[in-house]
Amino acid sequence: MAEPTTDPVIEDAAALLGELLDQTRRRFWLHARVELLAEFRALELGSHLANIAQRHRHTDIRILVDDDLALRERIPGLVESIKRLPTAVTVRRLDAAEESPLTLTAIADHSGWMQLTQAGGQRILRGNVDDRAGTQRAALDFEANWSLSDEAIVLRRLMV
């Protein structure tokens, strides 16, 4: 039986996301479709978020997902970490149009960003750990989506 092949774009994206998480000091924003985020389970995002939260008391960690129920079901380790960090992590939900591509956007402080887009069987990775202009554009897009989002009810019920 042949070994399952790994997608080099996902490997590159995981490496870049890991670098962003390692360099983050105070602000980490993540906007992702859960289906794509689930491919990064091996990165142990929850423990990275806990490390970021411990670095500074005014940490701003925001997670914006398309389906909070799917997040709870597909990435329970991340949800457990979120429940342990209720003052450091805010999770909101923004329904994505079914025809829109799968995307994952991460913003680290004011200096690094990445965006992984999957559409039509292709994956495209953009971003850099040191790109202030790109980070500012990504942050403006994130804030616009954040303002349109709702509280993640499923996760809120778990924390109460």
Side-chain angles (χ1 to χ4, degrees):
M1 189 163 146
E3 287 288 316
T5 58
T6 58
D7 184 342
V9 177
I10 289 291
E11 289 177 1
D12 292 344
L16 181 54
L17 184 56
E19 283 183 66
L20 290 172
L21 287 162
D22 289 340
Q23 84 172 20
T24 301
R25 296 294 162 243
R26 291 182 62 178
R27 178 179 86 168
F28 184 78
W29 293 352
L30 179 69
H31 181 186
R33 298 276 294 264
V34 173
E35 183 178 336
L36 191 55
L37 184 60
E39 294 194 43
F40 293 88
R41 269 181 257 152
L43 194 57
E44 296 186 19
L45 188 57
S47 61
H48 281 286
L49 296 181
N51 289 338
I52 294 168
Q54 293 170 357
R55 288 182 190 138
H56 198 279
R57 68 182 185 150
H58 296 294
T59 302
D60 181 13
I61 301 172
R62 299 182 192 181
I63 301 174
L64 184 57
V65 294
D66 63 323
D67 186 349
D68 48 343
L69 180 59
L71 180 67
R72 185 182 77 186
E73 291 173 354
R74 295 191 71 182
I75 316 172
L78 175 57
V79 173
E80 287 301 316
S81 293
I82 291 168
K83 289 188 330 188
R84 286 193 306 267
L85 303 166
T87 60
V89 180
T90 306
V91 181
R92 295 186 66 126
R93 184 183 54 79
L94 179 65
D95 288 331
E98 284 188 34
E99 66 278 357
S100 67
L102 299 178
T103 58
L104 180 146
T105 304
I107 301 164
D109 293 325
H110 298 282
S111 58
W113 71 286
M114 72 166 273
Q115 184 174 54
L116 176 64
T117 305
Q118 176 180 315
Q122 288 188 311
R123 291 180 170 162
I124 300 168
L125 176 63
R126 300 180 306 146
N128 196 325
V129 293
D130 188 22
D131 178 8
R132 287 188 175 278
T135 302
Q136 185 176 8
R137 284 189 300 274
L140 289 172
D141 288 344
F142 181 91
E143 287 176 325
N145 286 317
W146 187 260
S147 69
L148 297 172
S149 65
D150 299 317
E151 183 178 13
I153 301 296
V154 170
L155 298 181
R156 179 73 180 131
R157 287 183 189 144
L158 286 174
M159 290 185 231
V160 171

